Amino acid sequence: MNRRQLIMSTAATALAVSASPALARQSPGSTMPQPPVAKKIPVVIEQLGRTRTDDYQWMKDDNWQAVLRDPTLIKAEVKEHLTAENAYREAMMASTLPLQETMFSEMRGRIKEDDSSVPAPDGGWNYYVEYQTGDQHPRYMRVERQGTWIVDGQPVTKNFVIAPTPQLLLDANELAKGKAYSEVSAASHSPDHTLFAYAEDAQGSEVHKIYVKDLATGEVLPEVIDSATGDFVFSPDSQWIFWTNRDDNGRPDKIFRRPARGGETTLVYEEADDGMFIGVGRTADDQFIVIGIQNQETSEARYIPAATPTAEPVVLEPRVVATRYDVDHWGDRWVIRTNADDAIDFKIVEAPTATPAKANWTDLVPHTPGRFIEGLDLTNAHLARQERADANTRIIIRDREGAEHEIAVDEPAFALSLAGASEYETTTSRYTYNSPSTPTQTFDYDMASRERTLRKTQQIPSGHNVEDYVVERLNAPASDGQLVPVTVLRRKSTPVDGSAPLLLYGYGSYGIPMPASFSTNRLSLVDRGWIYAIAHIRGGSDKGWGWFLDARKMTKKNTFTDFIASAEHLIDKKYATAGNIVAQGGSAGGLLMGAVNNMRPDLWAGIIGQVPFVDVINTMSDTSLPLTPPEWPEWGNPIEDPAAYDYMMSYSPYDQVEPKAYPAVLATGGLSDPRVTYWEPEKWVAKLRPATTSGKPVLLKINMEAGHGGAAGRFDYLKEVAHDYAFAVWAIDKGWEQA
C-alpha cells in the first residue's frame, strides 16, 4: 500500500516514458511501452560455505538510513531506475485511469466525510476524533462531560444548561500543510487533563518527533523529543513523560524520562539485546508504569511504582526463551497473560502486588487448547478478555468473584473486537462488531447489568444493503489434513459456477490473524461481480497460537501450501477457476505472494505484492536492517544456522525466481519504508521480468515520498486501493494487450 503516483494523461504518460533514459528502446514498429532494463552487477556472496550471486545488489543505497530521514538523498542511479519503473507502470496501466477514478469516487462515496468517533469518557472530559468534510487527516477533540461518574470512589455529577463547546486539541490537517507526508501515530492527554502529547512521522520512515501542548494556553511547548519510535506515556501523576528511543538502525533501544513540560532527560532503561522490541505504558489502575520487552517468542516486563516515578524499574519475572507474558494491575494484584507451563494458547494468572514473580503465579483463567486468549482489559470490578477460535472471536466478561458470561454473536464469519474502557472506575466496556457484509457497530456494554447500548453504526452515504450479500465460511483441506478456514464474500446475484473472477487475500505471519471484517473498499470489486476471499492460513493465530507455531522457522512453507490449498478448494467448489484468480498480500503477506507465484504460477491471473518481503536471505543476513535481529525467532538465523539458511533459500521468492510462465505482477513499495526496504520489490521486479515466459507484464510502483503504510491521508489512501484493484481487473481482462 503506497502513496499514489501522479495520475497523468495517456499522452503525457507516453511522453514521460519515451523521455526516460533508463527505459529500453522500443523495437521498430512497436506501440507497446517497453520496460526498463535493470543493469546487472554480479556480486558473489559466500555464507556458511554456500555461495549465491546477486545481480541487483547495487539497488540498495549504502546510505539508506539517511534516505529514510530524507528521501531526496537517494543515489542518482537508483532514483533514475525507480522513476523509469513508475513511468512504465503508468504507461502500461494508462487504460485503467478511468476505472481508477471511478473506483476512487465509489470508495469516497462510501465514507461519511464529516464523521467522528464515539467519545471516550475520562474524568471530566469526553475525548474523540473527528473528520470534517474534505479533510485528509483527523482533528483531536474533547468536550466537558455531563452526567455522573466516579473519581477516587466518589460520584461526581455535572450538568450544563447550555451544552459545552468542544475544544480542539490538534488539527492534523494543519500539521500536514506543506509536507509531502505527515502522520500522527500516537496522541494522548495527561491523566490530569492539562497536557496533550502527539507523535508525528513526517517522512513515512517511522522516525517520530513528540510534541507536548499546554491545554490551558494552547501553546506547543518548545522542547521537542527527537528520534522517537512514537511510543510514549505520561506518568500517572502527570509530572513526567516516558518515551521509547529509536536508534540509528531504526530499532527501539532505550526508554527515557523527562519532566512533562520540559527539562533534563534521564535514561530509564537500555536494552542490550538488539533482537528485542521495547515499549512503555501504564497499568489500567494507574498504579504502575510498565516497560515491556519482547521478540517473537520471549518477553519480560519491568515496573515502576506510580508513587515513585523516578525509581529504577524492577524486573517482574526474568526472561526465559520461548516464554511470553504481558502484565496489567487490577487494584490489589497483578494480572498476567502468559504461555508459561506449556499453555500454548495462553492462560491468565494472578500474582500478589509485592511479589509478582512466577513462583507466585496462580491460574485465574486456565489454559484451554484451541482457545487462544488474545488480550484483556481491566476495570475496577471486571476483567474482559478476547478469545479466538476457528478464525472468529468472542468476548468473555469476568467479575472479581469469578462469575463469567459471554457476549455472543451468531454469524458464520465476523469480527468482534474488545475496545475496552477508557477509565478504570466504571462498569462500562466498549466493543465493536462487523462482518464482511455488515458495517461496523460500536456498543457500550454494562458488565454488571449485561445491558448493551448501540453507540454508533457505520454510515455508508452511497447506500448499502446487507441483504444483497452472502458471507460463507469454507474449510480447505491442507496437504497434511489440517482444515484452513476461508471466508468468502459475494453478492447474492454472483453465480458460484467458476465464472466469476476472485481475489484471494492472505498474510500468515507473526501470529497476526486476518479478521473476517467489513471493508467498504472491497465492494468496488464485489459489486462488479467479483468474489472476495480471505485465507486464514497458518502463520497467523486464526485458529489459536498453535496455528502460528506450525508455520514459522522450519515449517514456514505451511503458510504457502495453505494458501495454495485455499485456492484449490475454491476452484473445487466452483467459486473460481485456475487462472481467473488474483492473489494479494502485503509485507510478510508479500513474501506469501512471492512464494506462491513461484510455486503455482498457473493458479493466478495476477499477483499484487504490497511492500513485499521477498529478498529473504539477504535481508535476514543484514544485521544493520531494523527488523533483522528481532525477527530471527520468526524466520531463523541464516548467518549462524546452516539448516535455517538452506530452508530459507528453498522458499525465498527473490532467490527462487526461474524461467516460467508467471502471471501479471504488481509490486509496490515506499522509498522511506524501514520495514520492507524499497530495494526488495525493486530487485524482485528486475529479476522476474526477464525470467517470465508468459509475456505478461511485471510492474513496479514505488512511492518516492512514503513508507510502509502508504499514504497518510484518507483520500490519498483510497487512490492507492483503487489503483491496486484496477490492476486486478486489468490482470483478469489482459489489459496489457491494449496498452
Side-chain angles (χ1 to χ4, degrees):
M1 299 176 290
N2 310 294
R3 184 185 299 269
R4 71 177 179 95
Q5 303 300 321
L6 179 65
I7 294 179
M8 306 167 69
S9 70
T10 303
T13 303
L15 179 61
V17 172
S18 63
S20 174
L23 291 179
R25 294 183 181 274
Q26 295 184 15
S27 58
S30 172
T31 59
M32 177 78 74
Q34 297 299 298
V37 177
K39 65 181 179 181
K40 294 183 178 181
I41 304 177
V43 175
V44 178
I45 303 166
E46 295 184 0
Q47 190 170 327
L48 294 177
R50 287 110 170 113
T51 300
R52 65 182 186 275
T53 300
D54 191 343
D55 290 330
Y56 303 109
Q57 195 179 71
W58 64 269
M59 293 178 174
K60 175 186 176 184
D61 196 312
D62 295 333
N63 197 32
W64 64 267
Q65 291 98 332
V67 173
L68 287 182
R69 294 175 180 267
D70 183 0
T72 65
L73 297 177
I74 189 75
K75 61 185 179 182
E77 63 178 348
V78 174
K79 181 178 181 180
E80 179 184 28
H81 184 75
L82 294 176
T83 301
E85 285 283 7
N86 280 335
Y88 170 66
R89 172 188 48 78
E90 290 174 350
M92 287 294 290
M93 290 185 60
S95 64
T96 71
L97 290 177
L99 177 59
Q100 291 183 48
E101 290 294 341
T102 299
M103 284 187 166
F104 168 70
S105 296
E106 293 169 357
M107 293 174 187
R108 184 165 181 170
R110 299 187 191 106
I111 293 177
K112 187 176 187 295
E113 293 199 20
D114 57 335
D115 202 4
S116 62
S117 65
V118 178
D122 186 15
W125 298 90
N126 279 315
Y127 290 85
Y128 62 100
V129 296
E130 69 175 18
Y131 285 91
Q132 295 185 339
T133 300
D135 280 356
Q136 290 265 30
H137 303 277
R139 290 158 46 94
Y140 295 81
M141 308 290 295
R142 72 176 181 181
V143 65
E144 287 187 85
R145 187 176 179 181
Q146 300 193 61
T148 300
W149 59 93
I150 305 297
V151 176
D152 297 328
Q154 300 299 316
V156 175
T157 300
K158 185 177 288 187
N159 291 301
F160 300 96
V161 176
I162 300 174
T165 302
Q167 179 183 359
L168 175 64
L169 307 179
L170 172 67
D171 187 343
N173 299 281
E174 292 296 319
L175 189 67
K177 278 187 176 178
K179 299 173 183 175
Y181 184 96
S182 174
E183 182 175 20
V184 175
S185 303
S188 178
H189 61 276
S190 59
D192 66 1
H193 307 280
T194 64
L195 299 172
F196 180 78
Y198 56 94
E200 184 198 19
D201 175 2
Q203 301 87 22
S205 60
E206 302 177 33
V207 179
H208 293 82
K209 290 184 177 181
I210 300 173
Y211 302 86
V212 180
K213 183 177 182 179
D214 185 324
L215 293 179
T217 66
E219 174 193 10
V220 176
L221 302 178
E223 292 188 37
V224 177
I225 297 170
D226 287 309
S227 298
T229 65
D231 171 58
F232 67 86
V233 70
F234 288 103
S235 60
D237 64 4
S238 302
Q239 298 304 302
W240 304 90
I241 187 169
F242 293 73
W243 72 93
T244 307
N245 184 70
R246 181 185 176 93
D247 69 13
D248 290 339
N249 286 329
R251 301 186 192 114
D253 66 336
K254 301 179 182 73
I255 303 294
F256 286 112
R257 177 192 71 238
R258 74 155 209 215
R261 293 178 178 272
E264 183 178 355
T265 293
T266 301
L267 176 65
V268 177
Y269 174 75
E270 181 172 7
E271 175 55 44
D273 186 346
D274 61 7
M276 303 297 282
F277 296 100
I278 61 175
V280 62
R282 298 195 307 265
T283 57
D285 60 6
D286 271 350
Q287 290 194 32
F288 295 93
I289 299 155
V290 175
I291 296 171
I293 307 154
Q294 66 175 19
N295 62 17
Q296 305 297 336
E297 62 182 4
T298 303
S299 63
E300 178 180 280
R302 300 181 179 220
Y303 61 92
I304 302 168
T308 54
T310 60
E312 290 293 314
V314 177
V315 177
L316 191 143
E317 172 65 22
R319 68 191 72 174
V320 174
V321 173
T323 296
R324 290 180 57 137
Y325 72 91
D326 47 73
V327 307
D328 206 341
H329 197 262
W330 201 13
D332 60 351
R333 72 193 83 169
W334 290 97
V335 175
I336 302 162
R337 187 186 73 105
T338 182
N339 68 346
D341 306 317
D342 297 319
I344 291 175
D345 285 310
F346 287 73
K347 63 180 179 177
I348 299 174
V349 301
E350 57 185 355
T353 295
T355 55
K358 185 175 183 296
N360 301 310
W361 292 1
T362 58
D363 284 1
L364 187 65
V365 180
H367 174 242
T368 299
R371 180 199 65 183
F372 173 43
I373 300 176
E374 292 188 302
L376 57 91
D377 281 309
L378 300 175
T379 56
N380 60 334
H382 293 90
L383 182 158
R385 70 179 185 269
Q386 182 169 310
E387 302 177 348
R388 182 175 295 274
D390 294 325
N392 283 327
T393 50
R394 66 176 189 164
I395 294 172
I396 307 296
I397 307 299
R398 179 188 181 96
D399 64 23
R400 281 189 172 270
E401 286 68 46
E404 293 189 351
H405 67 274
E406 177 184 352
I407 299 176
V409 174
D410 184 21
E411 275 202 79
F414 58 88
L416 188 66
S417 299
L418 182 63
S422 52
E423 52 191 351
Y424 183 66
E425 296 184 88
T426 183
T427 61
T428 301
S429 186
R430 182 166 291 168
Y431 70 90
T432 61
Y433 170 79
N434 60 48
S435 78
S437 63
T438 306
T440 300
Q441 296 175 308
T442 302
F443 293 93
D444 278 350
Y445 185 76
D446 190 308
M447 296 177 285
S449 69
R450 304 190 184 186
E451 294 181 2
R452 70 175 188 174
T453 303
L454 177 62
R455 296 297 307 276
K456 181 180 179 180
T457 298
Q458 180 183 0
Q459 295 183 37
I460 315 296
S462 60
H464 178 73
N465 183 3
V466 176
E467 300 303 318
D468 290 340
Y469 301 90
V470 176
V471 177
E472 296 162 302
R473 174 59 59 77
L474 310 179
N475 285 290
S479 55
D480 60 358
Q482 291 282 359
L483 294 178
V484 181
V486 181
T487 299
V488 173
L489 171 68
R490 61 181 175 86
R491 287 189 69 91
K492 282 184 178 178
S493 58
T494 300
V496 182
D497 59 5
S499 64
L502 183 143
L503 189 142
L504 180 61
Y505 187 87
Y507 186 74
S509 287
Y510 308 118
I512 298 173
M514 287 296 101
S517 57
F518 182 74
S519 167
T520 57
N521 297 334
R522 295 171 189 161
L523 300 179
S524 284
L525 286 179
V526 174
D527 287 349
R528 284 177 168 79
W530 282 61
I531 294 174
Y532 190 97
I534 302 169
H536 303 279
I537 52 184
R538 278 176 283 187
S541 58
D542 305 67
K543 292 182 71 173
W545 199 244
W547 199 243
F548 157 63
L549 296 177
D550 203 20
R552 62 197 286 267
K553 289 186 175 178
M554 303 301 284
T555 56
K556 186 60 200 172
K557 289 182 183 178
N558 284 338
T559 299
F560 317 139
T561 55
D562 280 2
F563 191 83
I564 291 169
S566 299
E568 291 177 330
H569 189 64
L570 288 163
I571 293 168
D572 182 59
K573 297 300 181 181
K574 304 299 183 184
Y575 286 88
T577 55
N580 207 35
I581 303 171
V582 174
Q584 182 184 26
S587 196
L591 162 65
L592 168 68
M593 294 300 101
V596 300
N597 191 42
N598 287 331
M599 295 167 69
R600 288 294 306 276
D602 59 299
L603 290 175
W604 326 112
I607 292 281
I608 303 173
Q610 301 163 296
V611 288
F613 171 44
V614 285
D615 193 11
V616 180
I617 285 285
N618 285 322
T619 293
M620 297 312 298
S621 300
D622 187 345
T623 57
S624 74
L625 294 173
L627 297 183
T628 293
E631 293 199 351
W632 284 331
E634 174 84 10
W635 310 103
N637 184 346
I639 300 175
E640 299 179 353
D641 184 349
Y645 181 103
D646 292 341
Y647 187 74
M648 203 175 292
M649 177 62 76
S650 72
Y651 68 75
S652 175
Y654 176 66
D655 297 286
Q656 292 302 315
V657 170
E658 59 186 9
K660 61 179 61 174
Y662 287 106
V665 173
L666 171 64
T668 70
L671 193 59
S672 54
D673 186 350
R675 296 174 181 260
V676 178
T677 49
Y678 71 85
W679 58 83
E680 292 211 34
E682 183 186 16
K683 290 172 64 176
W684 186 42
V685 165
K687 194 170 184 180
L688 265 176
R689 190 175 286 141
T692 185
T693 60
S694 68
K696 298 177 181 179
V698 178
L699 306 180
L700 178 66
K701 180 186 179 188
I702 294 290
N703 190 289
M704 306 299 279
E705 297 173 333
H708 196 67
R714 57 174 175 164
F715 303 133
D716 289 341
Y717 169 71
L718 293 181
K719 291 179 180 178
E720 295 180 349
V721 178
H723 172 276
D724 294 351
Y725 283 179
F727 170 84
V729 174
W730 187 75
I732 291 287
D733 294 343
K734 299 181 181 179
W736 59 87
E737 294 180 352
Q738 288 78 47

